[in-house]
Amino acid sequence: SIVKALAWMVDGLEGVTDDVLSVADFFKSKEITDFLSKIQPGLWIILALSLCFLGYQLIFNKKFNREHVLINIVIAITVIMLLGQGMKKADDFSDAARKVAQLKDSGGSTADKDIKDNLTDISLYDDKEWKSTKLKEKNKIPKKNIQYIDITEKIDKNFEPKKGEKLSKTGKKVLEKKLAMDAEGNEGIADLKNGWFDFFPEQYYRWQWDYWTMLITLLVTGATLLFISIKLSKLIFELAFNHILASILAYADIASGQKLKEVLKNIGSTFFIFIMVFVSMRVYLNYTAYISEHLNGVAFIIALIAGSLAVIDGPVMCERIFGIDAGLKSGWGLVAGGYAIAKSANGAMGGIGNLISK
């Protein structure tokens, strides 16, 4: 039940990530364009004031850098006319990068894969005549159906691997016996007990599952998806805000042009970080698939947590070059900040309650 609850959570967060990406073009939405249209009269006033300030600088400020005035005017006109189209093209490119970065698998969700990878079907040992526990495939259940199995299903000599198919003679004998220790501590074979009056007979479970690996894998995957969604949402908001800010500065920052250039640089960096988030997701999914094939138990859990922390921290080089967090550290900060606010609010409400009671 706990595993199914976590799988439901991971599936929901996976859906949230897709939903967040569906509003990535918020910066070109009707609400943003309508807002820019409403403030357009004010922008013309700002442009007039900006031109007056530019004229003042040209006449009275001898140290004013006149060589860059023409370039600043060209940049401002370009932004006014082509900013929306340019951001739309950049968004189309990042969307194409997102589709390339995703691992498409219509056979089941990420949670289904985590469960399937940690579940072994004991009945498949019959194919190897019960001589080895090494299987080419741990189970043959499709990923999309893996959560519908009965984890307490029993297997005995009457078990049918397929409809109408019986277990091998060796399999039937194996399932009637168990390992036991004699009085001298020697390992031997004993018959399974039938229980009291044939009630609660000893039987083998069909499914062998690594509960803790499954549990921690789902928790780590859910946390990673949560912070990815937070990071993408933050980037989407920043794109819309910078779109508005650049449109305003194109009218207001003709004299120096430095503020406008900084905002344009930030817009370009944000689109790049968008792509880097998708690349990090792709590398993370490939990484988890690789370690699941080569590691087991505690080693797998440690490697998985390390990979998740690497995604959360993000590529350090991106932050050094562009000055923007390419990872999900902002997600950690948001969660910690939300906890601090909730705690403060709870304390404040408690203080008000005490004051009222006095």
Side-chain angles (χ1 to χ4, degrees), residues 334-354:
L334 182 60
V335 172
Y339 172 76
I341 291 172
K343 190 173 180 181
S344 300
N346 187 39
M349 291 302 293
I352 293 172
N354 292 334

Side-chain angles (χ1 to χ4, degrees), residues 36 55 93 174 208 224 229 249 305 311 316:
L36 288 173
F93 178 76
V174 167
Q208 178 185 351
T224 305
S229 300
L249 290 176
I305 294 174
V311 174
V316 177

Side-chain angles (χ1 to χ4, degrees), residues 81-116:
M81 297 180 64
L82 301 176
L83 178 62
Q85 288 297 320
M87 290 182 67
K88 185 177 181 301
K89 291 296 181 183
D91 180 59
D92 293 340
F93 178 76
S94 63
D95 187 59
R98 173 178 65 84
K99 292 177 181 177
V100 171
Q102 283 183 330
L103 286 177
K104 296 181 179 179
D105 187 0
S106 58
S109 65
T110 302
D112 294 332
K113 180 183 180 302
D114 291 340
I115 295 173
K116 180 178 172 66

Side-chain angles (χ1 to χ4, degrees), residues 266-294:
N266 190 270
I267 290 174
S269 299
T270 302
F271 276 115
F272 178 80
I273 297 303
F274 239 122
I275 296 173
M276 286 300 99
V277 170
F278 302 143
V279 171
S280 295
M281 290 171 62
R282 176 60 182 261
V283 173
Y284 177 74
L285 291 172
N286 284 327
Y287 173 77
T288 54
Y290 181 80
I291 63 175
S292 66
E293 294 177 1
H294 294 80

Side-chain angles (χ1 to χ4, degrees), residues 4-143:
K4 285 186 176 182
L6 287 174
W8 173 82
M9 180 192 72
V10 171
D11 288 341
L13 287 170
E14 198 170 8
V16 166
T17 303
D18 294 337
D19 292 341
V20 167
L21 292 174
S22 68
V23 296
D25 56 354
F26 171 60
F27 68 88
K28 59 183 179 182
S29 64
K30 185 177 182 299
E31 289 78 9
I32 298 298
T33 54
D34 287 348
F35 177 76
L36 288 173
S37 298
K38 287 180 180 178
I39 66 172
Q40 190 63 45
L43 294 179
W44 289 117
I45 296 173
I46 292 174
L47 177 61
L49 294 173
S50 180
L51 290 173
C52 290
F53 178 72
L54 177 62
Y56 172 82
Q57 293 280 38
L58 290 171
I59 295 171
F60 297 103
N61 190 353
K62 294 181 180 180
K63 295 182 179 180
F64 183 70
N65 193 346
R66 292 169 172 77
E67 290 81 4
H68 292 168
V69 172
L70 182 59
I71 296 175
N72 293 340
I73 293 174
V74 171
I75 292 175
I77 294 173
T78 304
V79 169
I80 292 170
M81 297 180 64
L82 301 176
L83 178 62
Q85 288 297 320
M87 290 182 67
K88 185 177 181 301
K89 291 296 181 183
D91 180 59
D92 293 340
F93 178 76
S94 63
D95 187 59
R98 173 178 65 84
K99 292 177 181 177
V100 171
Q102 283 183 330
L103 286 177
K104 296 181 179 179
D105 187 0
S106 58
S109 65
T110 302
D112 294 332
K113 180 183 180 302
D114 291 340
I115 295 173
K116 180 178 172 66
D117 289 345
N118 292 286
L119 203 63
T120 301
D121 187 353
I122 302 299
S123 67
L124 296 181
Y125 294 154
D126 198 60
D127 296 337
K128 293 182 174 288
E129 298 181 352
W130 302 84
K131 293 180 178 180
S132 173
T133 57
K134 293 182 179 179
L135 300 171
K136 202 177 265 189
E137 189 178 9
K138 289 184 176 181
N139 62 76
K140 295 183 179 180
I141 307 296
K143 276 190 288 187

Side-chain angles (χ1 to χ4, degrees), residues 10 21 37 41 43 54 67 96 106 117 135 147 149-150 153 167 169-170 203 205 235 241 247 263 274 290 295 327:
V10 171
L21 292 174
S37 298
L43 294 179
L54 177 62
E67 290 81 4
S106 58
D117 289 345
L135 300 171
Q147 294 190 45
I149 66 166
D150 179 7
E153 183 181 0
L167 288 172
K169 291 183 179 179
T170 303
Q203 290 178 304
Y205 286 112
L235 290 174
F241 182 81
S247 300
V263 174
F274 239 122
Y290 181 80
L295 298 174

